[in-house]
Amino acid sequence: MERTGARILVDQLVAQGVDRATCVPGESYLAVLDALIGSGVDLLTCRQEGGAAMMAETYGKITGRPGICFVTRGPGATNAAAGVHVAAQDSTPMILFVGQVARNMRHREAFQELDYPAVFGTIAKWAVEIDDPARIPELLARAFRVATQGRPGPVVIALPEDMLVDTADVPDAPPIRPIEMAPAADGIAELTERLARAERPVAILGGGGWRGAARDGMIAFAERHALPVAVEFRRGGSFPADHPNYVGDLSIGASPGLVEAIERADMILMLGGRMSESPSQNYTLFDIGPGDDRIVHLHPDPEEVGRVYQPGLGLVGTAGGFVSAVEGLPGPNRQSGWVEDLRRTYLDWSTEPLPLPGSFQMGEVVCWLRDTLGPDAAITNGAGNFATWINRHYRFRDHGSQLAPTSGSMGYGLPAAVMAKRQQPERDVVCVAGDGDIMMTVQELATAVQHEIPVIVLVIDNGMFGTIRMHQEKHYPGRVSATDLRNPDFAAMAASFGCHAETVRDSGDFAAAFDRARASGRPALIHCFLDPEALTIAKTLSDLRDAT
């Protein structure tokens, strides 16, 4: 049966199990918007392409399936690049569809024309333009595999507008099931020997594969082998923080006790992640040149094993494949004191907040959220010093309870919260954003209101780009430039969108304001004022100035 390219494309999405997508509409793909009517795909209309792409990336983080986003050509695509970059650095499956000029206008620099494989070739895992509607099933099936297999990541597909209305008679591709890869038997045998010899092992979980059976299997593996388990930067929820084997996260400002323990460890199980700049504490935790025989590095992409660190043992496999391979390994006769000591160090570090200047105590607010919200609650954030309180004090217990960019992208928190709440409406979803951070994507409050998605947004306002000011005070003392902010009344802005809105200046008033926001049943924003002196989790602005 003859179908238009747009109908073939939408049918492939449905066949691959796509139930939700994001978009900013554009004339370049009107045929797809028309084909989506009645498809059963929940299409979220967003207000800026960066936010739409970040929402799709969040879907990929939560589900392990590619998040789907549609944007128009030229400016739409370049706006969306921010979300594609997040997906690339966070190893998240995602497919961005971009409208393109008609095929007979190519290579003339027509209106909003770009060479998408060239533009996205260094960010995406694969970028392609589809010129023939008969090839849509083939190329979409490939896109789903590329996005999910090996190291997951983003795919960009350009769609010439005239191709979308051409017709073809072509069968649909079958649903794609990503391949689970188990490490080779000889590698597991060597791992068994190393585990038997180790007295002070530490497991560090990274990547996005620790969900469902893989996460449960990792918990059982840690219990059998008396393994302390840490997580990489912004991978909270990969292992439950309330479990006695959990010992903290390698975030910006990681616990000195955890860093010291990793330095003392005689075996490092680096499982699923890349141990990039932030979790490696600026590449200082491990020797890069001569290698480190303590390291056992598991990754689904063989090109990542040994790319930066030369491990004592390299294993290629997915999280699920790994836990299946080690399921039958007997636990060694290791004493559990090592785990208990590291757990106690973590609790001492994370339980009580440090007091800082001002009546709004950020640490107290994060601890209240930690102690009040259920284990399935999700905290989302973008980038800024405000997030260090989350890293230190919040305890992420379920998969998907921390949704934040390892790439450090500002503006991520609000789009992530919108998608997380849409995908799992039974969860509490709280976006924590700085005053500079929120303005990158604040327009997505309109998306939340339009689609009736009751997220709760906390704007932490200290009147500056705080992280940049911190570095400025350290490296260019007395020369403040470009970091002061004159902010709007965020509560009034949110109310104008149709949100429930509150203002809090004293942390003692926060709990009641939060309860009212949650009870409103609407998207809500609480504008919280943080003293500018409370610049970091442990040092004031004056402390930094006095130290220079």
Side-chain angles (χ1 to χ4, degrees):
M1 181 180 68
E2 292 279 328
R3 292 177 289 175
T4 65
R7 171 56 59 193
I8 296 169
L9 187 149
V10 171
D11 287 347
Q12 304 319 297
L13 296 181
V14 173
Q16 297 300 335
V18 172
D19 58 355
R20 183 159 288 120
T22 65
C23 79
V24 175
E27 69 272 21
S28 60
Y29 69 97
L30 285 175
V32 175
L33 292 172
D34 182 74
L36 283 165
I37 296 173
S39 67
V41 176
D42 178 32
L43 186 64
L44 299 185
T45 302
C46 305
R47 298 307 178 96
Q48 202 262 4
E49 292 87 357
M54 290 176 187
M55 288 184 204
E57 191 276 344
T58 303
Y59 179 98
K61 268 196 175 84
I62 293 171
T63 66
R65 305 191 304 274
I68 304 298
C69 179
F70 288 93
V71 299
T72 198
R73 58 201 179 203
T78 51
N79 282 343
V84 176
H85 182 256
V86 174
Q89 289 225 321
D90 288 35
S91 303
T92 305
M94 172 184 167
I95 302 175
L96 175 72
F97 291 97
V98 183
Q100 175 61 301
V101 300
R103 288 167 293 182
N104 63 357
M105 296 184 184
R106 292 285 282 113
H107 310 299
R108 295 175 178 170
E109 198 179 345
F111 181 64
Q112 297 182 339
E113 179 183 356
L114 283 177
D115 181 341
Y116 294 103
V119 169
F120 286 96
T122 61
I123 307 175
K125 283 188 73 177
W126 183 42
V128 65
E129 185 165 315
I130 303 179
D131 286 332
D132 182 353
R135 296 196 65 190
I136 290 175
E138 168 205 346
L139 294 176
L140 258 66
R142 179 177 170 186
F144 274 80
R145 286 204 181 275
V146 171
T148 55
Q149 292 183 173
R151 177 184 169 186
V155 171
V156 176
I157 300 178
L159 306 169
E161 58 183 313
D162 60 326
M163 184 276 296
L164 292 171
V165 296
D166 271 4
T167 61
D169 184 357
V170 62
D172 295 336
I176 297 306
R177 291 184 295 176
I179 299 169
E180 286 280 12
M181 297 178 292
D186 59 347
I188 294 299
E190 184 175 343
L191 171 65
T192 303
E193 295 174 3
R194 286 173 173 260
L195 275 171
R197 294 195 305 266
E199 296 180 0
R200 297 183 306 280
V202 175
I204 305 171
L205 306 187
W210 303 105
R211 63 172 62 81
R215 184 176 183 267
D216 294 342
M218 185 63 213
I219 294 169
F221 178 65
E223 291 170 347
R224 282 198 313 275
H225 291 268
L227 278 174
V229 179
V231 298
E232 289 193 15
F233 178 54
R234 291 181 171 168
R235 296 299 187 183
S238 300
F239 197 93
D242 56 355
H243 192 282
N245 288 61
Y246 180 81
V247 297
D249 73 313
L250 285 169
S251 59
I252 297 172
S255 160
L258 176 58
V259 172
E260 180 186 355
I262 291 172
E263 292 170 346
R264 292 174 51 215
D266 58 5
M267 181 180 185
I268 307 292
L269 285 165
M270 196 184 296
L271 302 178
R274 296 184 294 119
M275 193 56 67
S276 58
E277 179 182 353
S278 295
S280 70
Q281 312 300 295
N282 298 316
Y283 296 109
T284 62
L285 267 184
F286 307 106
D287 288 331
I288 292 176
D292 193 329
D293 186 65
R294 300 177 303 158
I295 295 176
V296 175
H297 189 187
L298 169 85
H299 200 278
D301 183 351
E303 292 188 5
E304 286 295 333
V305 179
R307 180 182 179 187
V308 178
Y309 309 99
Q310 300 307 315
L313 173 62
L315 302 174
V316 177
T318 59
F322 173 79
V323 298
S324 295
V326 300
E327 186 176 8
L329 297 185
N333 295 319
R334 186 183 301 116
Q335 298 297 315
S336 63
W338 170 243
V339 178
E340 292 167 354
D341 288 347
L342 297 191
R343 175 68 179 176
R344 187 161 45 249
T345 298
Y346 163 69
L347 293 175
D348 289 345
W349 169 257
S350 64
T351 300
E352 296 297 331
L354 299 172
L356 284 170
S359 56
F360 186 86
Q361 295 290 311
M362 184 67 182
E364 290 180 2
V365 166
V366 173
C367 289
W368 183 87
L369 291 170
R370 176 193 70 198
D371 298 337
T372 302
L373 298 178
D376 66 341
I379 304 293
T380 74
N381 65 267
N385 273 7
F386 68 90
T388 58
W389 278 275
I390 303 170
N391 294 340
R392 180 162 176 173
H393 295 299
Y394 199 84
R395 295 191 182 137
F396 298 99
R397 289 162 282 178
D398 275 7
H399 167 71
S401 55
Q402 183 175 33
L403 296 168
T406 70
S407 65
S409 182
M410 293 182 73
Y412 181 88
L414 177 54
V418 171
M419 176 55 75
K421 187 67 173 176
R422 184 67 158 198
Q423 186 68 18
Q424 298 171 319
E426 72 283 357
R427 304 177 82 173
D428 281 318
V429 178
V430 181
C431 165
V432 186
D435 47 337
D437 177 51
I438 191 66
M439 288 296 285
M440 301 289 181
T441 54
V442 72
Q443 63 271 24
E444 301 308 338
L445 283 174
T447 304
V449 170
Q450 178 170 336
H451 293 280
E452 299 180 343
I453 304 172
V455 297
I456 299 176
V457 180
L458 313 181
V459 176
I460 312 302
D461 184 353
N462 64 353
M464 67 179 80
F465 286 117
T467 303
I468 311 307
R469 174 66 66 81
M470 175 184 70
H471 292 299
Q472 200 168 59
E473 296 286 351
K474 288 180 180 178
H475 301 295
Y476 296 90
R479 298 181 62 81
V480 175
S481 172
T483 51
D484 285 331
L485 295 176
R486 183 173 179 178
N487 287 320
D489 181 334
F490 288 107
M493 177 189 291
S496 74
F497 278 103
C499 298
H500 174 91
E502 304 236 3
T503 298
V504 171
R505 297 179 181 275
D506 189 310
S507 49
D509 299 327
F510 176 80
F514 186 91
D515 288 342
R516 289 190 294 270
R518 184 159 51 174
S520 74
R522 291 186 284 151
L525 183 145
I526 304 175
H527 187 182
C528 306
F529 286 87
L530 182 67
D531 193 310
E533 273 290 304
L535 188 57
T536 78
I537 199 166
K539 291 186 180 296
T540 67
L541 180 59
S542 296
D543 290 337
L544 292 175
R545 287 176 173 168
D546 292 343
T548 57

